[in-house]
Amino acid sequence: HLKIGDILIQINENKGDIIVIDYLKIMAIIFLLLVSIFSLNKSYTSTLPTVIIKNCYDGDTCTTTKGEKIRLACIDTPELKGPKAKPIEAKESKYFLNNLVANKRISVKRITKDRYGRTVGELFKNGLNIQEMIVENGHGKIYKKYSHQCKWSR
């Protein structure tokens, strides 16, 4: 018997058949683990307070319908104005974020307040971390200085 990856594929030398049953079992277990992890994350976020996001000023700052300004924790997105401005990328990032959260009920994990009085927090939509989605889709990067505030960015 030849083993690849310890148990993934077995070859029956007598008949030349390839048996992949073990592989299917492994894939089923991985699938169940992923579903469990997603369910746990979704149930965790369901315990968080929710807000309705009115709109987002840029790719990492939003305002709720009650006027609370939320600075998305652990990420940095391109600036709209100023000496380091990248207006095209900033507008794309702003559009991406608004498309995800504007006029929607979102879970918020409040972490602290910043020097401007904004809430610094993580946003979740249907159990998914909004900041992580922004980084994964190329609309922002992990803000190394503050990455310790979020589990996913450490």
Side-chain angles (χ1 to χ4, degrees), residues 24-150:
L24 294 175
K25 287 180 187 174
I26 291 170
M27 293 306 294
I29 290 168
I30 290 171
F31 175 76
L32 290 173
L33 285 171
L34 289 173
V35 168
S36 298
I37 290 168
F38 179 75
S39 296
L40 286 173
N41 191 43
K42 195 166 184 178
S43 65
Y44 161 73
T45 60
S46 68
T47 65
L48 293 173
T50 61
V51 296
I52 297 174
I53 301 294
K54 181 179 177 184
N55 60 31
C56 300
Y57 165 76
D58 58 20
D60 55 27
T61 308
C62 299
T63 303
T64 69
T65 53
K66 293 186 176 182
E68 179 183 16
K69 293 193 183 322
I70 301 175
R71 169 64 167 85
L72 277 62
C74 306
I75 65 166
D76 194 25
T77 60
E79 299 299 326
L80 281 167
K81 300 175 183 175
K84 296 181 181 180
K86 294 184 177 178
I88 293 171
E89 294 91 337
K91 287 176 185 173
E92 289 172 357
S93 181
K94 174 183 175 178
Y95 176 79
F96 181 80
L97 180 57
N98 270 301
N99 202 35
L100 284 174
V101 301
N103 300 308
K104 295 183 178 87
R105 184 164 294 280
I106 301 294
S107 299
V108 59
K109 177 183 174 189
R110 292 176 177 87
I111 297 170
T112 190
K113 295 270 188 181
D114 69 6
R115 64 183 175 190
Y116 305 109
R118 300 176 297 187
T119 298
V120 176
E122 288 184 273
L123 300 182
F124 298 88
K125 179 180 176 185
N126 299 324
L128 299 174
N129 185 301
I130 299 296
Q131 288 87 296
E132 202 169 350
M133 292 172 68
I134 290 168
V135 171
E136 286 173 356
N137 284 278
H139 294 288
K141 61 183 181 177
I142 293 173
Y143 200 158
K144 299 279 188 220
K145 183 176 178 181
Y146 299 105
S147 63
H148 66 278
Q149 295 177 323
C150 306

